[in-house]
Amino acid sequence: MRIRGAPAIGILGAYGMALGALKIEAESRDEFLARLREINQTLAGTRPTARNLFLAIDRMQQVAEAGKNIKQIKESLINQAIKIHAEEAEATTKLAQLGAGLIEDGFTILTHCNTGALATAGYGTALGVIKQAKEQGKNIKVLATETRPLLQGARLTTWELKKANIPFTLITDSMAGYFMRRGEVDCVIVGADRIAANGYTANKIGTYSLAVLANAHGVPFYVAAPTTTIDLSLHSGYQIPIEERSPEEVTHIQGVSITAEGTPAANPAFDITPSQYITAIITERGIIKEPYVERLRKITAGA
Ligand code: MRU
């Protein structure tokens, strides 16, 4: 969790493969590639949900398998990692620019988890859209959820919003409905860890509840993600693997127990939001709406 957020995890995977490759001392190309496959598997085993990780390490593996000799493979892996990093940076900057068009002057935007510079290659996905709207001179406010259990919203998003000089209020996750019913939320924007072919989206636990609430109150609900987060190999979002994390993250806050000893706790790190609750998906290649099945296919073609 030192490096987290789907785009940042993808970049970590790419550099992890390149750095791992540099350390391999092998007698032959075949031995080198076998050792690299082990590194690939180790990285693949770190976190199961974010699509960006698997896309990046598969791309790195393909580059390696196409290489002629060990020296050349090592060089091309470094170049490829730098390329993946640059592409992710460009994608989030672009999607932020496109998404900012959905934000009107005077909007209060609710966001969940952390999706800014600390989660991406630099600019951010959902938080990138918010930052871009501010840079365009729009007068906006943010409601940031604390994001239990690891508090990415409270710890990281508030820090980024403060740095960007954007007015914000921190709320607990369970306060979202209260503010929506009072008409104090103009839209919700979240990031994504994986978007299946049917538009169903995996994102930080609590996203699904926010989407249902937004739908009940007629509040637009946007997902902002680069196309590297889209996984057309899964036709349904319910096929996305959901990371189960330690119960201790729920029973303890920053190492301090808040429960009776031995309290059982569940800790799924992500949930799935069905596409009918998603007003639009903002990507670097355009903003898409239902029907997601054909539009996601179209937008990723040739990617
Ligand atoms: O468990 P995390 O902190 O890696 O989860 C992060 C999220 O769920 C983000 O919303 C998602 O990765 C999009 S980040 C731009």
Side-chain angles (χ1 to χ4, degrees), residues 1 4-7 47 113 115 119-120 125 152 191-193 203-204 270:
M1 292 304 283
R4 28 91 21 219
R47 300 199 70 191
C113 198
T115 59
T120 63
T125 56
Q152 288 93 329
D193 284 80
N203 190 51
K204 180 52 55 198
F270 301 94

Side-chain angles (χ1 to χ4, degrees), residues 1 3 18-19 24 33 60-61 76 99 113 117 150 179 220-221 262 301:
M1 292 304 283
I3 297 179
L19 289 171
I24 298 174
L33 288 175
M60 295 292 284
Q61 191 69 45
S76 49
C113 198
L150 287 184
F179 288 105
F221 184 91

